[in-house]
Amino acid sequence: MAMSDLSTPKTTSPLLRSSSQLRLSSKLHLSNQFRHLLLPTPLHTSSISKISCSVSQNNQAPVAVQDNGSVKTKKECYGVFCLTYDLKAEEETKSWKKMISIAVSGAAGMISNHLLFKLASGAVFGPDQPIALKLLGSERSIQALEGVAMELEDSLFPLLREVDIGTDPYEVFQDVEWALLIGAKPRGPGMERAALLDINGQIFAEQGKALNAVASPNVKVLVVGNPCNTNALICLKNAPNIPAKNFHALTRLDENRAKCQLALKAGVFYDKVSNMTIWGNHSTTQVPDFLNARINGRPVKEVITDHKWLEEGFTESVQKRGGLLIQKWGRSSAASTAVSIVDAIKSLVTPTPEGDWFSTGVYTNGNPYGIAEDLVFSMPCRSNGDGDYELVKDVEIDDYLRKRIAKSEAELLAEKKCVAHLTGDGIAFCDLGPVDTMLPGEV
Ligand SMILES: NC(=O)C1=CN([C@@H]2O[C@H](COP(=O)(O)OP(=O)(O)OC[C@H]3O[C@@H](n4cnc5c(N)ncnc54)[C@H](OP(=O)(O)O)[C@@H]3O)[C@@H](O)[C@H]2O)C=CC1
Ligand SMILES: O=C([O-])CC(=O)C(=O)O
């Protein structure tokens, strides 16, 4: 085993990987290795930097190839890249799927810090699915992003084949098949909701345009940054070449919270709760649907007979769970959000269990529930595991649900008016009026 001088890294610039040379091949599997290198690429020369690393056919040692074609010799290599490998011993890559490319924005933020390592571990897309991570940051976060990339490097995930970091979405989103849009200002004390919509809305307008221009045409987009429903709407409106159906707003955290509260009340483990719909906006107007949810396959109202609690205590606890968490922890949920992003993706890439469904914020056009068109609204969905989904069409809606769903719908219509300038719908008119537009926990 050849080792470089690990105590004296050659450079401190970004950890980056290339696309072309290290294509997956049964011959080229470097078990438990990344082929990222630290190169002295000044960040200001390009918003995304790439180098390539390939394996010399003669001695199987990794060599780094820079964009300008010059080859870095083994002598110049860094850390794990200087090891040699017994490739004949590596059989597992033969059964691996084709690599997929995943963009993550806000990659140096709290949620991403939990999420990236789950993605790289194989826990999301499966143990035979190699991935490339394209991490989007900004000038203010680029140093931190380098740190994230270094931690990914040090984690030795076999399935993580590429890591790129950059600040230009037009470069970072190139050919991506998944875009997890997390980067956005979290709400803060004393902040107007309209201001949050405006600040973050701009981000999603720009990123929608970039996805439209350079991402895979069938890219799946999950918007996490708040207010996620309206941000997802802005994003899809700025990406007319991508099917609107491919855009999601994350309401899975709310679904998970609702399942937890029902399990707690019923005294069962939370895996016994199914068919949990969150209707509407990821806000305090969201409607956790206890009418159609089930516990051990039975209607919730049969198992939990305290219906007043269901209508009031349960509903409010889910609506305000995020706010309560901020009060306790001092900042918004990050780990459980990352877990819910994993759940949301897995629900799209694995078949939904028979009779069950999951919640996700999706485009309302053609919905069977009479929800206004041209919104992103959380509804019950099923998937056959191909990344796509269908709405569940026959969920019962009683008067209680209808009234509350209408309130969340009104809120989203009001939010949409606030961002008309970002969706191509004319001049924005922001009157959030009597509608409760507060994010979970806002008072
Ligand atoms: N849908 C859901 O269920 C949930 C959504 N969220 C939302 O996810 C988003 C990210 O949360 P989290 O990772 O905890 O936040 P962090 O503050 O840890 O990271 C957010 C990242 O967003 C980017 N960003 C872009 N614009 C701004 C801005 N104006 N001010 C500050 N940061 C900005 C920054 O990255 P850079 O500089 O690289 O651009 C920053 O690193 C928030 O909007 C939050 O409200 C949180 C929990 C649940
Ligand atoms: O409340 C927040 O600001 C963060 C959030 O969306 C949640 O935890 O559900």
Side-chain angles (χ1 to χ4, degrees):
M1 184 172 80
M3 298 287 285
S4 67
D5 180 2
L6 295 177
S7 63
T8 53
K10 304 286 182 290
T11 171
T12 55
S13 61
L15 173 87
L16 298 171
R17 246 289 290 134
S18 81
S19 36
S20 52
Q21 260 112 338
L22 196 56
R23 286 291 165 233
L24 292 175
S25 131
S26 55
K27 285 186 181 164
L28 288 188
H29 173 52
L30 306 185
S31 177
N32 288 337
Q33 309 301 335
F34 293 161
R35 298 167 176 94
H36 316 137
L37 297 177
L38 291 168
L39 278 189
T41 312
L43 287 166
H44 59 268
T45 58
S46 166
S47 62
I48 187 166
S49 301
K50 278 176 181 284
I51 59 164
S52 303
C53 182
S54 65
V55 173
S56 137
Q57 287 185 336
N58 296 333
N59 62 10
Q60 297 178 342
V63 294
V65 183
Q66 298 183 81
D67 278 344
N68 65 9
S70 69
V71 175
K72 285 175 80 78
T73 66
K74 191 180 169 194
K75 212 168 84 186
E76 292 174 79
C77 68
Y78 183 85
V80 293
F81 304 107
C82 300
L83 300 177
T84 55
Y85 310 97
D86 177 6
L87 297 180
K88 288 198 192 99
E90 304 300 337
E91 287 296 316
E92 69 179 306
T93 59
K94 287 179 185 165
S95 61
W96 280 4
K97 297 175 182 161
K98 188 170 164 284
M99 184 167 69
I100 56 169
S101 194
I102 305 159
V104 180
S105 74
M110 286 291 288
I111 295 170
S112 296
N113 197 250
H114 294 274
L115 178 67
L116 292 172
F117 296 83
K118 294 181 201 302
L119 291 169
S121 73
V124 185
F125 289 98
D128 56 353
Q129 178 60 74
I131 64 167
L133 287 177
K134 314 285 175 175
L135 309 182
L136 181 65
S138 69
E139 292 304 328
R140 78 184 149 230
S141 67
I142 195 71
Q143 287 283 338
L145 215 49
E146 290 179 39
V148 171
M150 288 167 67
E151 283 215 84
L152 284 168
E153 181 183 45
D154 294 344
S155 300
L156 310 183
F157 291 117
L159 290 163
L160 182 58
R161 311 306 291 195
E162 296 182 13
V163 176
D164 291 342
I165 65 177
T167 59
D168 180 351
Y170 285 85
E171 294 183 353
V172 174
F173 291 166
Q174 190 73 50
D175 299 326
V176 297
E177 289 140 297
W178 287 83
L180 312 178
L181 304 185
I182 301 170
K185 188 179 177 71
R187 68 201 175 97
M191 195 171 175
E192 292 299 323
R193 176 65 181 272
L196 188 67
L197 273 174
D198 193 40
I199 294 167
N200 286 344
Q202 298 282 355
I203 297 170
F204 293 90
E206 186 197 0
Q207 293 182 1
K209 287 190 180 84
L211 286 167
N212 197 54
V214 301
S216 161
N218 198 27
V219 60
K220 305 293 189 288
V221 184
L222 177 60
V223 175
V224 177
N226 275 320
C228 60
N229 295 58
T230 299
N231 286 339
L233 182 71
I234 293 167
C235 198
L236 75 85
K237 292 290 213 164
N238 283 278
N241 297 337
I242 299 168
K245 200 182 174 193
N246 289 17
F247 290 78
H248 299 258
L250 183 76
T251 56
R252 186 53 170 266
L253 179 57
D254 306 301
E255 175 184 327
N256 291 355
R257 288 167 170 166
K259 283 179 168 170
C260 183
Q261 293 308 306
L262 289 178
L264 190 61
K265 183 75 172 178
V268 299
F269 198 59
Y270 33 67
D271 65 347
K272 302 294 182 283
V273 185
S274 65
N275 303 79
M276 187 71 241
T277 310
I278 300 294
W279 296 95
N281 199 3
H282 175 64
S283 76
T284 52
T285 66
Q286 67 177 268
V287 187
D289 176 353
F290 55 81
L291 180 67
N292 295 289
R294 295 186 163 256
I295 297 174
N296 277 321
R298 292 172 59 207
V300 165
K301 284 174 98 171
E302 273 179 35
V303 180
I304 298 173
T305 50
D306 182 352
H307 295 175
K308 186 170 156 47
W309 176 81
L310 287 172
E311 290 187 7
E312 294 170 13
F314 163 69
T315 299
E316 191 171 314
S317 72
V318 178
Q319 291 170 332
K320 301 209 166 146
R321 182 80 167 173
L324 185 59
L325 198 126
I326 291 171
Q327 263 178 32
K328 304 266 183 205
W329 198 42
R331 56 168 306 144
S332 55
S333 53
S336 59
T337 305
V339 168
S340 74
I341 294 170
V342 170
D343 291 341
I345 298 170
K346 280 169 88 172
S347 288
L348 294 170
V349 299
T350 49
T352 310
E354 190 60 37
D356 202 358
W357 59 70
F358 58 88
S359 299
T360 177
V362 291
Y363 197 49
T364 48
N365 282 18
N367 79 85
Y369 296 106
I371 313 288
E373 303 234 314
D374 205 31
L375 294 176
V376 171
F377 204 87
S378 185
M379 289 188 275
C381 296
R382 291 181 52 80
S383 175
N384 63 18
D386 62 357
D388 215 337
Y389 66 88
E390 294 300 332
L391 289 178
V392 179
K393 297 199 167 73
D394 50 2
V395 172
E396 182 194 345
I397 296 190
D398 65 2
D399 281 348
Y400 170 91
L401 283 181
R402 191 170 296 107
K403 249 191 242 154
R404 278 151 189 82
I405 288 172
K407 191 175 174 198
S408 209
E409 179 190 34
E411 180 183 54
L412 282 167
L413 286 166
E415 286 186 22
K416 184 179 156 187
K417 284 192 185 150
C418 281
V419 297
H421 59 304
L422 299 173
T423 55
D425 291 326
I427 298 168
F429 173 71
C430 209
D431 179 13
L432 298 174
V435 181
D436 179 4
T437 61
M438 290 187 293
L439 289 167
E442 279 181 330
V443 287

